[in-house]
Amino acid sequence: MSATAMIEPSRSEAGYNFAYLDEGTKRMIRRAILKAIAVPGYQVPFASREMPMPYGWGTGGVQVTAAVLGRADVLKVIDQGADDTTNAVSIRRFFARTSGVATTTRTTEATIIQTRHRIPETPLREGQVLVYQVPIPEPLRFLEPRETETRQLHALREYGAMHVKLYEDISRHGHIATTYAYPVEVAGRYVMDPSPTPKFDNPKMDDCPALQLFGAGRERRIYAVPPYTSVRSLDFEDHPFRVQQFDQPCALCGAEGVYLDEMLLDDAGRRMFVCSDTDHCEGRRADGHVGTGDAV
Amino acid sequence: MSEPLLQVRGLTKRYGARLGCADVSFDLDPGEVLAIVGESGSGKSTLLSLVATELAPDAGTVSYRMRDGVLRDLAGLSEAERRALMRTDWGFVRQDAAQGLRMTVSAGGNVGERLMGVGERHYGRIRGQALDWLGRVEIAADRIDDPPTRFSGGMRQRLQIARNLVTGPRLVLMDEPTSGLDVSVQARLLDLIRRLSAELGLAVIIVTHDLAVARLLSHRIIVMRAGRVIETGLTDRVLDDPEHAYTQLLVSSVLAA
């Protein structure tokens, strides 16, 4: 509280409104968000603004976060699961400076988590909002370049083409080789691109207690998965959806059943597999869990 | 006489001041092959697009006997019904295979798409049917995972046919399916179309400027010129004993091989 009061935004960054965007823009984005929540998985067009960062760096996610951020919120930003990478650090600092809200790296403390690629390993709870940065919101784009046509396909629920993509995977690789942006059906109706999250995280979207919001800045679309909504990964009867498995636990904290990153250690090819979720890993190590520390 | 499968009445389409086609009417029986012939710009392709409901007519109707036996005006169908009809009970073989196929998707995926579109969710069964259909259009089984970009022109047309026939349609529209192919490949494709349409009892509307194609495949012919039907009748009668002066000119302008 005292920290928040010390960096009052109007004083620390003169000329900027709270959380950078003006109130009219925020209302416009909130209306899009409300519509997205009302129609789960449906891509709502919105008048995406120019943000002080390049497209592809999370302009959609930043606008959604700016629109839902309140003074009492605690913000966490992750990039590929990590709190300490460039993108995560810059966005976190951007909101600290333009809004003065408290920031954190702890999943449990955060009320809003903006993410690129990962859903935290720590289960989310009611009241939390997960904001995804989305590059290509249209799951049918792979097969259908025309926007007019993809809208028709969504409206008429013609999703046969989506399975063509999965068919191609199996015919080429013997199994469904799509490992990220794996298409899902939301609330039994709309097929949605879960953004470039690894399919490992798809099951976490299903029946999640937190609100999930998706913002695509360049493509000007917002979509949402309300709390406790069914999210089903598409598959074939004889090739059911499966998440990837890792052979060994995290080398630092010994966690199993989590998503691991491959870290290169030197130019001799030594590698180490560690938690992609840095907060989860640090939390476990603070609790006394240790991994083997072995390179492979 | 069986009841007609397709009933076309007074179809008219204008492109501004120019005429696409005017007041075209015909019936098509189940299993019947109808050729629409005429020179370039005579309105053949406009007529086919109107029948396929890809263009909206300025006047006239296209009615189709649905699987329940009821003749329905296609303009009265909802968009969902219309599209479902087009991808299950109808087929459309395009002149340019790139328009009728997904060029970046494997042959098997191309054939399987319609099956997945009607809800098939078993990979093994989809692949089995794709293999079966590739065999029926004489494409080797080991090409099932190749995309059509690696196929010859004749193979692409045969793949289009397989992709369209996999859901067991009753009506197939073909727009110049043999143009741009060399003569021996044409002959093989025509044989295939004739055999499949006879075996499956398909009704076919084939647009062509090649009278030899019309003679080989069709039971009946419609001759068009400047957007109007100028002669219609049984294929042999029209080609051997043309009544209209233009048809006589058309028939006599074909080089005898």
Side-chain angles (χ1 to χ4, degrees):
Chain A
M1 182 59 218
S2 56
T4 318
M6 271 163 61
I7 19 174
E8 176 61 26
S10 54
R11 259 167 272 149
S12 62
E13 294 293 330
Y16 286 112
N17 190 37
F18 177 78
Y20 184 77
L21 290 174
D22 64 274
E23 294 305 312
T25 299
K26 287 192 210 167
R27 285 181 64 180
M28 175 272 293
I29 296 173
R30 283 177 204 138
R31 280 196 290 269
I33 292 172
L34 286 173
K35 183 169 179 181
I37 294 170
V39 192
Y42 172 73
Q43 298 166 48
V44 182
F46 79 110
S48 177
R49 296 291 194 255
E50 290 287 335
M51 298 303 284
M53 62 180 70
Y55 287 126
W57 284 55
T59 54
V62 163
Q63 289 179 78
V64 169
T65 299
V68 298
L69 196 65
R71 291 187 194 275
D73 275 314
V74 180
L75 181 68
K76 169 182 163 82
V77 183
I78 49 176
D79 172 11
Q80 314 267 9
D83 293 274
D84 54 3
T85 51
T86 315
N87 198 219
V89 170
S90 334
I91 293 175
R92 195 163 57 232
R93 200 169 55 190
F94 172 76
F95 280 115
R97 288 173 61 181
T98 58
S99 74
V101 299
T103 61
T104 182
T105 59
R106 307 286 299 273
T107 300
T108 47
E109 289 170 6
T111 56
I112 298 175
I113 304 170
Q114 180 171 332
T115 179
R116 171 171 179 246
H117 292 163
R118 285 302 317 282
I119 299 174
E121 304 290 357
T122 309
L124 300 178
R125 53 178 160 74
E126 282 183 22
Q128 286 183 313
V129 180
L130 188 59
V131 179
Y132 297 77
Q133 305 168 197
V134 179
I136 302 169
E138 179 50 72
L140 296 163
R141 190 61 74 229
F142 163 77
L143 288 164
E144 180 50 66
R146 289 169 297 175
E147 177 70 17
T148 48
E149 180 67 12
T150 52
R151 284 196 203 188
Q152 280 269 14
L153 294 175
H154 281 294
L156 298 171
R157 215 176 154 187
E158 275 185 29
Y159 291 129
M162 219 52 253
H163 276 83
V164 172
K165 185 172 150 76
L166 303 180
Y167 171 95
E168 289 293 285
D169 263 7
I170 303 173
S171 71
R172 264 183 223 153
H173 308 288
H175 60 98
I176 299 178
T178 300
T179 52
Y180 67 97
Y182 191 104
V184 293
E185 182 194 74
V186 180
R189 175 60 179 84
Y190 284 96
V191 165
M192 182 186 93
D193 187 333
S195 94
T197 49
K199 71 175 174 184
F200 183 88
D201 286 339
N202 276 17
K204 294 181 193 161
M205 293 185 171
D206 182 36
D207 208 32
C208 176
L211 170 64
Q212 302 174 76
L213 301 176
F214 300 76
R218 179 171 37 205
E219 303 288 327
R220 304 177 170 221
R221 294 290 183 277
I222 286 173
Y223 49 104
V225 176
Y228 302 110
T229 302
S230 89
V231 176
R232 191 180 62 81
S233 302
L234 302 183
D235 59 3
F236 285 105
E237 290 161 22
D238 48 345
H239 286 268
F241 173 81
R242 277 198 201 95
V243 297
Q244 55 266 64
Q245 304 288 332
F246 295 91
D247 303 334
Q248 65 278 321
C250 169
L252 297 178
C253 77
E256 292 181 2
V258 297
Y259 195 76
L260 300 181
D261 280 344
E262 180 183 6
M263 311 294 281
L264 290 174
L265 299 179
D266 55 28
D267 59 1
R270 289 203 316 137
R271 297 164 302 150
M272 188 187 251
F273 285 89
V274 299
C275 281
S276 136
D277 185 338
T278 52
D279 168 59
H280 184 71
C281 199
E282 282 161 15
R284 280 178 55 87
R285 276 180 282 158
D287 290 345
H289 295 279
V290 278
T292 57
D294 287 345
V296 289
Chain B
M1 281 298 285
S2 58
E3 294 176 309
L5 183 67
L6 186 79
Q7 202 174 66
V8 172
R9 291 290 176 269
L11 272 189
T12 302
K13 176 72 185 175
R14 289 172 196 288
Y15 299 108
R18 286 177 300 115
L19 191 64
C21 71
D23 198 25
V24 178
S25 301
F26 64 86
D27 283 355
L28 185 74
D29 285 339
E32 186 181 22
V33 180
L34 173 71
I36 301 173
V37 302
E39 60 191 23
S40 299
S42 61
K44 312 185 292 282
S45 295
T46 297
L47 176 58
L48 200 67
S49 299
L50 289 170
V51 170
T53 66
E54 288 178 352
L55 279 179
D58 295 320
T61 58
V62 178
S63 305
Y64 180 72
R65 194 166 305 282
M66 309 296 271
R67 294 236 174 210
D68 59 8
V70 180
L71 195 67
R72 289 186 67 185
D73 182 353
L74 296 186
L77 298 182
S78 70
E79 180 68 8
E81 286 176 314
R82 190 188 70 78
R83 291 171 74 115
L85 181 72
M86 294 299 143
R87 66 168 192 271
T88 54
D89 217 18
W90 288 39
F92 201 144
V93 177
R94 314 267 169 185
Q95 177 174 5
D96 177 7
Q99 283 178 17
L101 294 173
R102 292 195 187 275
M103 297 305 279
T104 55
V105 165
S106 70
N110 265 291
V111 178
E113 180 174 353
R114 277 184 164 218
L115 295 173
M116 296 180 245
V118 295
E120 175 63 85
R121 293 289 179 264
H122 190 282
Y123 175 81
R125 283 200 296 268
I126 293 167
R127 196 157 171 92
Q129 288 223 48
L131 272 173
D132 177 42
W133 270 102
L134 291 180
R136 290 165 84 165
V137 298
E138 301 165 19
I139 293 175
D142 63 359
R143 304 299 300 273
I144 187 170
D145 293 330
D146 288 345
T149 43
R150 289 195 216 150
F151 284 6
S152 68
M155 282 173 78
R156 289 181 190 183
Q157 292 307 61
R158 281 181 274 134
L159 180 60
Q160 262 205 90
I161 291 171
R163 171 179 163 90
N164 276 287
L165 295 189
V166 68
T167 48
R170 293 184 299 157
L171 173 63
V172 177
L173 311 181
M174 298 187 179
D175 188 6
E176 306 269 13
T178 60
S179 70
L181 303 177
D182 67 50
V183 192
S184 61
V185 173
Q186 263 194 36
R188 190 172 168 200
L189 185 64
L190 290 173
D191 275 351
L192 179 77
I193 294 172
R194 189 160 61 167
R195 180 167 59 75
L196 286 175
S197 65
E199 270 176 21
L200 304 169
L202 286 178
V204 177
I205 300 178
I206 183 165
V207 160
T208 179
H209 60 268
D210 186 341
L211 294 183
V213 169
R215 185 188 287 277
L216 199 66
L217 288 180
S218 67
H219 306 126
R220 265 191 321 134
I221 279 189
I222 288 178
V223 183
M224 291 190 73
R225 186 191 189 191
R228 293 178 191 280
V229 174
I230 56 165
E231 185 161 356
T232 174
L234 295 176
T235 302
D236 290 344
R237 206 280 296 152
V238 172
L239 294 182
D240 294 338
D241 182 20
E243 287 173 0
H244 195 280
Y246 174 73
T247 317
Q248 292 168 4
L249 182 73
L250 208 61
V251 171
S252 65
S253 63
V254 175
L255 292 174

